[in-house]
Amino acid sequence: MMTELRCFLSGMRFDRKLAWSFIAFTMTVSGVVLGMCLFLATGASETSRQEKYAVVAGLLGQIVVHGTDTTIESAMEELGVDRSIVAVCAYSGGEATRLLYTYQSDAQGKACGPTLAELSKDDFLAVVSSEKYGSLNVVLHARNQVLSDFIKSIWWSAMLVMATSIVCAFGFASWLGKRLLMPIVSLLEVISSVRLNKEYQLRAPKFADDEFGQLCDDFNDMIAGVERREKEVLAARRELELRVCEVDVSNRELSGTLQRLKQTQEQLINTEKMASLGALVAGVAHEINTPIGVGVTAASTLVGTTESAMRRYKEGSLTQSALTLYWEQSLSASKMILGNLDRAASLIQSFKRVAVDQSNNEIRRFNLGEYLAEVMQSLSPQVGKAGLSYQLECEDELLIRSYPGALSQIVTNLVMNAISHAYPNGENGNLSLKVRASAAGEVALKFTDDGIGIPAEHLARVFDPFFTTKRGSGGSGLGLHIVYNLATQQLCGRIKIDSELGMGSSVSLFFPQDVGKVGFYE
């Protein structure tokens, strides 16, 4: 029951609560006042009734003693007007009382007994001296209607007063509730508008300099701070959006620039590859020029000797010794022509394989030792021209399945880099290429030179793109970068370089024997 009452009160509006509180207070006060009035009125009525009935009983006793029957009857008729007197009984005095006279206003009321009995609280006794009876006892039997008559007399007045008090209390409570709630209702409307519509420019009206006014001032200060922070947040958001747009534009520009740089880098790498291939072509062409020139000279000599022998044969002057000399010269020239043509053919074949492999990115199975020998043979013109010599050490019948073009490009770049940087002043030197296979199915290729070495501050940057110490002498800075990319990406291997100033350099390359079995490289 208390829970339902608490829920009912919690859901009621404040002005209704205030009105019902005033009504309950008014009804309580009215009930207390009415009860006190009834209590006081009852006590006063009881006292006056006792005094009244004592006087009436005395007067009736005097009338009974001294009056006539007519007088007594007239007096009794007068008593009939007071409906609270039920009966009047007159008894003789003495020890043996007897009923002398009786009057009864209502046949159904209390009757007089033959003798004087014990009196109740509603009976009033008056003793009158009489010569005839000695003493006369007059008893009045009364009806206790004072309280009921009084309540009846004031009932409608009390109801009217209570109804008027309740109406006034309800009206005053409603007026007071609205008066008290007006600042709160106005504040709630502003709060609702701010919460729903984000109207931070609204302010709560101030009705008086009281607690509610202080509350409105504090709320207005708070909402002003919120409005200020909201403006700051909006400004920061706009600035952030502008910055994001600027960053997006910059990112697009950077992305385009990076794409162009990648394309340029790829073009430069391809150009570097073609340049190394062009240098290889120039060296091979220069190297082929000698055997072909010797062959052409020998062929010209053979032609001249043959023509001389034919002319002498036609003239009949060809002797046995001249014929023998011709045969010896023809055989020598033929051998010279054949040897030089074989040498040229070998150079051309090596160059052809290397050039085709460098321009082709296909995997195939090949003998690593034989292939590296062909690569080094195609590079022998540049090596010899630089005054260098080389040694190749490789296990026999070392078959691998990989990219021959990548390997030839790596070896070519290493040799050309050593010629350009390890021996800057044309010193004589030795290049070494050692290859071995491990039990784990990995090939170790080590290229060394005995040149001037690499400074320590440059050692960590030699594989970076466009890093070179001969920028003004034709260096592009892509040779070792191409080597690093081919070794780590295409051959799925790893590469490192070691060097000390004056002690030469060493490049170690490790790659799998079968690159097709490697899914990825980390």
Side-chain angles (χ1 to χ4, degrees):
M1 182 65 182
M2 293 300 296
T3 303
E4 287 82 1
L5 179 60
R6 190 179 295 109
C7 294
F8 174 73
L9 291 177
S10 63
M12 187 181 296
R13 289 172 51 187
F14 176 77
D15 55 346
R16 298 300 180 187
K17 292 180 182 178
L18 186 64
W20 283 110
S21 299
F22 267 91
I23 291 173
F25 177 76
T26 302
M27 292 181 67
T28 302
V29 172
S30 300
V32 171
V33 172
L34 182 60
M36 293 178 64
C37 291
L38 289 176
F39 176 76
L40 295 176
T42 301
S45 298
E46 184 68 20
T47 302
S48 62
R49 187 170 70 111
Q50 291 179 357
E51 294 175 354
K52 169 187 172 182
Y53 288 150
V55 172
V56 171
L59 291 175
L60 289 176
Q62 293 294 332
I63 293 173
V64 171
V65 171
H66 301 290
T68 61
D69 293 338
T70 303
T71 304
I72 294 172
E73 291 293 336
S74 176
M76 292 303 172
E77 290 178 359
E78 293 293 334
L79 286 176
V81 178
D82 190 352
R83 298 182 61 82
S84 62
I85 298 175
V86 179
V88 178
C89 303
Y91 295 96
S92 61
E95 296 181 358
T97 60
R98 60 186 179 83
L99 181 63
L100 301 178
Y101 185 81
T102 181
Y103 167 76
Q104 189 172 356
S105 62
D106 190 359
Q108 297 180 354
K110 187 175 181 180
C112 297
T115 58
L116 181 61
E118 185 178 357
L119 300 178
S120 65
K121 64 178 181 178
D122 294 329
D123 297 336
F124 297 91
L125 174 64
V127 181
V128 181
S129 299
S130 174
E131 295 179 357
K132 183 178 178 178
Y133 303 108
S135 63
L136 181 64
N137 299 317
V138 180
V139 179
L140 263 68
H141 297 290
R143 183 185 294 113
N144 191 9
Q145 289 185 331
V146 177
L147 182 59
S148 59
D149 291 344
F150 178 76
I151 291 176
K152 289 180 180 179
S153 63
I154 68 172
W155 172 257
W156 292 109
S157 298
M159 291 296 102
L160 181 60
V161 171
M162 290 187 67
T164 304
S165 300
I166 290 172
V167 172
C168 292
F170 182 80
F172 177 74
S174 299
W175 175 83
L176 183 61
K178 291 181 180 180
R179 186 70 178 177
L180 292 176
L181 286 179
M182 187 180 299
I184 298 178
V185 171
S186 177
L187 180 60
L188 289 177
E189 291 177 353
V190 174
I191 292 174
S192 179
S193 298
V194 171
R195 181 177 63 86
L196 296 177
N197 303 323
K198 307 297 182 182
E199 299 177 359
Y200 296 109
Q201 72 279 6
L202 295 179
R203 297 294 182 267
K206 183 177 179 181
F207 293 91
D209 293 329
D210 52 5
E211 288 80 2
F212 292 111
Q214 183 64 35
L215 178 62
C216 292
D217 289 338
D218 294 341
F219 174 78
N220 290 335
D221 293 340
M222 181 186 69
I223 203 66
V226 173
E227 181 183 12
R228 183 174 60 257
R229 287 190 293 272
E230 182 70 14
K231 291 180 179 178
E232 294 174 356
V233 169
L234 290 177
R237 183 179 299 172
R238 294 191 185 97
E239 184 177 359
L240 180 60
E241 291 176 353
L242 181 61
R243 294 287 180 86
V244 168
C245 292
E246 293 176 354
V247 170
D248 185 57
V249 172
S250 300
N251 287 338
R252 291 178 182 176
E253 294 177 354
L254 290 175
S255 178
T257 304
L258 181 60
Q259 189 66 26
R260 289 191 296 272
L261 286 176
K262 287 182 178 180
Q263 293 175 357
T264 304
Q265 183 177 353
E266 291 177 358
Q267 293 174 359
L268 289 174
I269 290 174
N270 292 330
T271 302
E272 182 70 15
K273 289 181 179 180
M274 293 298 105
S276 63
L277 187 60
L280 182 62
V281 169
V284 170
H286 180 270
E287 189 70 15
I288 291 176
N289 187 52
T290 300
I292 291 179
V294 173
V296 169
T297 302
S300 299
T301 302
L302 181 60
V303 169
T305 304
T306 303
E307 289 178 349
S308 176
M310 288 179 65
R311 185 178 62 253
R312 292 178 66 182
Y313 173 76
K314 290 179 180 180
E315 293 176 352
S317 60
L318 183 63
T319 64
Q320 181 68 33
S321 58
L323 181 60
T324 302
L325 180 61
Y326 167 72
W327 286 342
E328 290 176 357
Q329 291 178 349
S330 297
L331 180 60
S332 176
S334 299
K335 288 181 179 180
M336 187 179 294
I337 293 171
L338 181 60
N340 283 276
L341 289 178
D342 286 339
R343 184 181 176 189
S346 178
L347 288 173
I348 292 172
Q349 187 68 22
S350 299
F351 169 74
K352 179 181 178 182
R353 291 181 182 177
V354 173
V356 170
D357 286 335
Q358 287 189 6
S359 60
N360 192 0
N361 289 325
E362 293 183 356
I363 300 176
R364 65 181 176 88
R365 184 176 297 275
F366 58 94
N367 188 304
L368 182 59
E370 295 178 357
Y371 186 74
L372 291 178
E374 293 179 355
V375 174
M376 293 305 296
Q377 184 179 5
S378 65
L379 293 172
S380 59
Q382 285 84 354
V383 175
K385 184 179 180 180
L388 305 176
S389 61
Y390 70 90
Q391 294 83 33
L392 173 62
E393 297 180 11
C394 182
E395 299 178 7
D396 296 334
E397 302 300 327
L398 178 56
L399 298 177
I400 66 171
R401 184 172 179 269
S402 187
Y403 294 94
L407 278 172
S408 66
Q409 184 70 54
I410 289 174
V411 173
T412 300
N413 285 13
L414 291 176
V415 171
M416 299 305 294
N417 187 75
I419 293 174
S420 300
H421 298 279
Y423 309 96
N425 299 321
E427 302 91 340
N428 295 328
N430 295 312
L431 306 178
S432 174
L433 184 62
K434 297 181 180 181
V435 182
R436 61 179 177 83
S438 65
E442 191 175 53
V443 177
L445 185 150
K446 187 175 184 180
F447 176 81
T448 59
D449 65 70
D450 55 358
I452 62 174
I454 303 174
E457 62 271 16
H458 295 166
L459 199 59
R461 301 179 59 194
V462 293
F463 293 126
D464 293 345
F466 308 109
F467 175 76
T468 181
T469 57
K470 290 189 175 182
R471 179 72 63 188
S473 301
S476 65
L478 292 172
L480 291 183
H481 177 66
I482 294 173
V483 170
Y484 180 82
N485 285 341
L486 292 175
T488 57
Q489 296 178 14
Q490 196 163 5
L491 296 184
C492 299
R494 60 189 187 277
I495 187 171
K496 68 175 183 177
I497 185 169
D498 301 304
S499 181
E500 292 183 12
L501 283 177
M503 301 297 293
S505 303
S506 174
V507 179
S508 299
L509 172 62
F510 305 91
F511 58 94
Q513 286 183 271
D514 190 351
V515 72
K517 294 182 179 180
V518 181
F520 60 92
Y521 172 73
E522 296 181 349

